[in-house]
Structures are given as C-alpha cells and as structure tokens.
Amino acid sequence: MEISYHGHSVVKIQSNGKTILIDPFINGNGQTDLKVAEEAPDIILLTHGHNDHVGDTVELAKKKDALVIAPNELANWISWQGVKVHPMHIGGAKEFDFGKVKFTQAFHGSSYVTENNEIIYMGMPAGILLFIEGLTIYHAGDTALFSDMKLIGERHPIDIAFLPIGDNFTMGPEDAACAVSFLKPKIVVPVHYNTFPPIEQDPQIFADLVQNAEVQILKAGEKVNCS
C-alpha cells in the first residue's frame, strides 16, 4: 500500500490495485502535483462540500465510474451530476471491498458555490476514518479543535492522521498540536496550509509543538513512511 500527500487536503491511497482519492481538489490548487488528465481513481472520499475539497470529483469519477462516498446531502448532489455514490453520515460505518469507512464529526461548514455564485448547502462536514490493510487512517477534513477527538483516538487507535494546520478557516498549529495529544496517532501529516494567503503557515512550527507522535512534513507527491 502507498499513501501519498498531494497538496492542500488531497490524499491518495493505492491498495490492492485500487486508487482512492480523498478531497481531490486539483484544478486551481497551486500546491498539487496531480493533473486531472492523469488521474483515474476507483474510489473518491469527500469530507465536505466546499469547492476546495469537492474539487474535480465529478470529472474524475466519470472516468472509471468511480464510487464517491460522502456525507448524505453532498452525496445526493454529486449523484445528480451523473456520478455513482454511496451516502453516509457522521457516526456511520460501512465495509466496502477496499476497506471500512467511518465518518466522524468535524466543526466547520459545508456548502458549494456554483459558477453563478449560488451557494448550495451540503449538509454537515465530517472527518473520515479509513480502515485498510490493517491500518487506521484519519483524515480530519476541515475542522476546529474539539475535545471528542480524544474519544476518536480511544475508540479507534490511529496509525496515520492528516490534520489541517492552516488557521483562519481551521485549526492552526497550536490547536492542531493539541489535537495530536487527543488523538494519539503514531504518525501525523499536516495538511490544508500554504494554498492561499490566509492559510500560510510554517509546518515546522506545528512539528515543534507535537509530542509523542512522528510528524512527517510532506511535499506534494511524497509518500507517508509507514515503516
């Protein structure tokens, strides 16, 4: 299995011949190394409906009739674009042929802005727990710090956590470091920073604040070292 980071909140997981993309914001993402023309995922997981997370989901999903798994309202809207979906919601889990997915709470917003500046409500934002090949991966999505992260870590010991550190819209470095102390992952990768001016951060500041977890600061295209 290969787990790689691709700028902003984009994560790619390649497992058992399948490619999973989380929050595939590619076009318009100056931090990514990916190109829509070169990607053909089998599964897409979405945390919430903001444009910088839904990204290129519809175009990517139509390439190989990929399954999009997302919170209910967002999944329904995606299905109306002619895409195969599986709707879920916070607290729910389901076994798929590639692994198990469970949605957690997140404290943020969730809406999609159309080309005509129409704002479409997309339900509740979420984080994602992915249980795959014996690993537990937590992608927090966009969120503030919240104390129930302790419960997430206690219920589901986490191997790899992807946590936003950009501040302004999500946790900043200090709160994200506190989140690590709650979640207790073995490895943590900072995400959702330096894509836009309001979320510019030095990830080393976050790394210096973290205790009792291995921080891996990854450039776009680099893989998580799980060894």
Side-chain angles (χ1 to χ4, degrees):
M1 181 169 60
E2 290 185 350
I3 304 165
S4 51
Y5 174 59
H6 298 277
H8 203 54
S9 293
V10 186
V11 174
K12 179 191 287 189
I13 299 161
Q14 294 172 296
S15 171
N16 294 321
K18 294 195 174 189
T19 298
I20 302 166
L21 282 179
I22 302 177
D23 287 356
F25 170 47
I26 298 174
N27 285 324
N29 179 359
Q31 295 294 311
T32 195
D33 62 313
L34 299 182
K35 296 180 180 178
V36 172
E38 297 173 358
E39 298 300 314
D42 300 284
I43 299 103
I44 297 172
L45 305 178
L46 298 178
T47 60
H48 64 291
H50 285 159
N51 298 54
D52 61 327
H53 292 260
V54 173
D56 303 281
T57 292
V58 172
E59 181 177 351
L60 289 166
K62 287 181 177 180
K63 289 188 177 187
K64 292 175 63 178
D65 194 28
L67 177 65
V68 177
I69 303 169
N72 185 65
E73 292 83 359
L74 174 55
N76 287 338
W77 183 81
I78 291 287
S79 74
W80 299 339
Q81 316 311 310
V83 172
K84 181 171 65 178
V85 304
H86 182 93
M88 295 182 66
H89 232 312
I90 295 167
K94 182 174 175 57
E95 291 275 3
F96 296 90
D97 59 359
F98 60 88
K100 181 179 178 182
V101 174
K102 183 175 183 178
F103 280 91
T104 71
Q105 68 198 69
F107 286 85
H108 194 59
S110 184
S111 61
Y112 188 85
V113 181
T114 70
E115 293 179 355
N116 297 321
N117 292 327
E118 178 186 8
I119 297 176
I120 302 173
Y121 173 66
M122 291 294 184
M124 297 290 288
I128 296 170
L129 283 165
L130 175 61
F131 307 90
I132 187 167
E133 289 196 40
L135 293 178
T136 298
I137 302 168
Y138 175 55
H139 191 299
D142 281 3
T143 188
L145 174 68
F146 57 96
S147 60
D148 278 352
M149 286 179 170
K150 292 180 182 179
L151 184 59
I152 294 172
E154 289 171 1
R155 290 274 291 115
H156 308 287
I158 296 166
D159 295 292
I160 305 163
F162 293 91
L163 300 182
I165 68 162
D167 220 344
N168 198 75
F169 300 110
T170 69
M171 298 185 290
E174 294 83 3
D175 280 359
C178 184
V180 175
S181 72
F182 288 170
L183 293 160
K184 294 181 168 55
K186 295 177 183 175
I187 296 168
V188 60
V189 178
V191 303
H192 202 274
Y193 67 97
N194 288 351
T195 322
F196 314 111
I199 60 171
E200 290 179 356
Q201 293 291 336
D202 178 356
Q204 190 59 49
I205 293 174
F206 165 72
D208 291 343
L209 293 169
V210 170
Q211 299 179 358
N212 302 319
E214 178 187 348
V215 180
Q216 295 187 17
I217 299 171
L218 302 180
K219 296 178 181 177
E222 291 185 336
K223 299 178 178 64
V224 177
N225 182 359
C226 301
S227 59

